[in-house]
Amino acid sequence: MNKKIPIKNPLPEVHLAIKAVLEAGKIVMNVYNQNFSSSLKRDNEPLTEADIKSNETIQKIISNSGYPILSEESHDNKKRLVSKKIWIIDPLDGTSDFINRTGEFTIMISLVNENKPILGIIYWPTKSILYLAQKDKGAFKFDNDSWLKLSVSNVTKLENCRAFESRYHISEKEKNFIKLLNISQITAKGSSLKVTDISSGNAELYFTTTNKIKQWDTCASYCLISEAGGKMTDMFGNDLEYNTEKLNHENGLLVSNGLVHNQIIDIYRKTNGKL
């Protein structure tokens, strides 16, 4: 996988990041295939041994680059703010899916340069599928020992859209907005796999109005969807920035194939965020 990268002149960090997600994937699956316990963090988010071990493994490998690392499972060292380049990682995205054994969890590593993702890697360990994107170089999927270039769908009508919703966190406000969009094809899915499917042309839309989504939840996905031809913004259409003081995306998140993006924003703006 690491030797057959389909990107011409890949960033030197690509190989390091792929090595890290694959090593972390082995450790995560080792925990997954045994009996394990879980606990709650201060913010009531779930935590398992897999989160901790994956974090340790990834940081040990990518720290060789010398860049600061922002991770969901580590203390936020604000010294990162003076660095042009930093890593942003989510050692186990979809911990609730991990605990409930849905298989829909991922490991995400991204590299940010001057507040924008330039590299995104998402690994789905239960399927041994890896997603890779580099700024201005395209988005790709490695599966069954081969690479496939990714591209979003060409659906332009909202009523024809296939949408994803969160399996555990959907609110009444979000349910009301789905009704307002007149979308009937809705599937619950875990973790960043919602974005990987949109990037692959298998769906067109995912959104959340919550302000609880953090930068490590979206950074790798941002690079992937952008390079696949889609779009990721907040619910008002503002672009997302990374390696900032505040880690939350305060105005929610909208991910689409790009072709229906402005339609959704226009409808949301008319509600003034009140649903």
Side-chain angles (χ1 to χ4, degrees):
M1 185 185 299
N2 217 336
K3 296 177 181 178
K4 305 173 185 177
I5 292 171
I7 295 173
K8 187 177 181 180
N9 300 320
L11 292 167
E13 296 88 356
V14 169
H15 296 282
L16 196 65
I18 290 177
K19 178 183 178 182
V21 292
L22 294 179
E23 287 298 316
K26 293 176 186 176
I27 289 168
V28 165
M29 288 307 297
N30 186 47
V31 176
Y32 190 65
N33 291 325
Q34 300 176 21
N35 291 325
F36 60 85
S37 59
S38 63
S39 59
L40 290 176
K41 295 184 284 189
R42 289 181 181 178
D43 58 1
N44 285 325
E45 288 295 316
L47 180 72
T48 70
E49 180 185 356
D51 295 82
I52 297 168
K53 287 187 172 181
S54 177
N55 184 51
E56 291 171 349
T57 299
I58 293 170
Q59 295 220 29
K60 183 177 180 180
I61 294 171
I62 65 174
S63 63
N64 293 329
S65 66
Y67 305 139
I69 303 170
L70 173 62
S71 170
E72 179 177 12
E73 307 305 343
S74 296
H75 171 71
D76 180 12
N77 187 337
K78 298 294 184 178
K79 289 181 180 179
R80 63 178 170 79
L81 293 170
V82 300
S83 179
K84 285 186 177 181
K85 274 189 180 181
I86 76 160
W87 294 103
I88 298 182
I89 68 173
D90 192 340
L92 185 57
D93 181 48
T95 303
S96 294
D97 285 280
F98 183 89
I99 292 168
N100 292 315
R101 298 188 184 275
T102 70
E104 293 182 353
F105 51 86
T106 63
I107 299 165
M108 300 196 289
I109 299 179
S110 51
L111 184 64
V112 170
N113 183 46
E114 296 183 335
N115 306 111
K116 295 297 178 186
I118 58 171
L119 173 65
I121 294 175
I122 301 173
Y123 185 51
W124 187 5
T126 56
K127 300 292 184 182
S128 298
I129 294 175
L130 184 138
Y131 297 88
L132 165 67
Q134 181 177 315
K135 183 173 171 54
D136 299 326
K137 299 289 186 177
F140 303 88
K141 170 184 176 180
F142 186 84
D143 186 21
N144 292 324
D145 206 35
S146 64
W147 287 98
L148 173 70
K149 190 170 179 18
L150 301 183
S151 181
V152 296
S153 76
N154 58 5
V155 174
T156 59
K157 294 183 178 180
L158 280 177
E159 60 266 30
N160 295 333
C161 282
R162 297 160 292 179
F164 286 124
E165 64 182 19
S166 173
R167 180 176 283 116
Y168 304 108
H169 305 294
I170 188 165
S171 66
E172 287 302 315
K173 183 178 180 180
E174 290 163 352
K175 290 178 182 178
N176 290 337
F177 191 55
I178 288 174
K179 291 178 184 177
L180 193 60
L181 295 176
N182 195 30
I183 293 174
S184 58
Q185 299 182 68
I186 307 159
T187 305
K189 202 174 190 72
S191 70
S192 57
L193 294 174
K194 296 183 280 291
V195 183
T196 62
D197 261 11
I198 297 170
S199 301
S200 303
N202 299 324
E204 288 72 43
L205 169 65
Y206 167 67
F207 72 88
T208 178
T209 60
T210 181
N211 63 357
K212 294 181 180 179
I213 302 295
K214 294 185 172 67
Q215 292 180 17
W216 47 70
D217 295 313
T218 66
C219 196
S221 298
Y222 180 103
C223 195
L224 188 77
I225 189 69
S226 300
E227 290 301 311
K231 202 164 186 180
M232 179 185 288
T233 65
D234 72 15
M235 288 298 294
F236 293 101
N238 301 306
D239 199 10
L240 305 181
E241 289 202 333
Y242 295 85
N243 191 25
T244 55
E245 178 79 25
K246 288 186 177 180
L247 297 177
N248 294 60
H249 297 310
E250 296 292 338
N251 294 312
L253 186 74
L254 173 61
V255 185
S256 81
N257 67 350
L259 299 174
V260 297
H261 210 83
N262 289 339
Q263 297 176 59
I264 297 163
I265 290 167
D266 289 343
I267 294 170
Y268 190 75
R269 282 176 176 166
K270 287 175 182 177
T271 71
N272 200 27
K274 297 175 182 178
L275 293 160

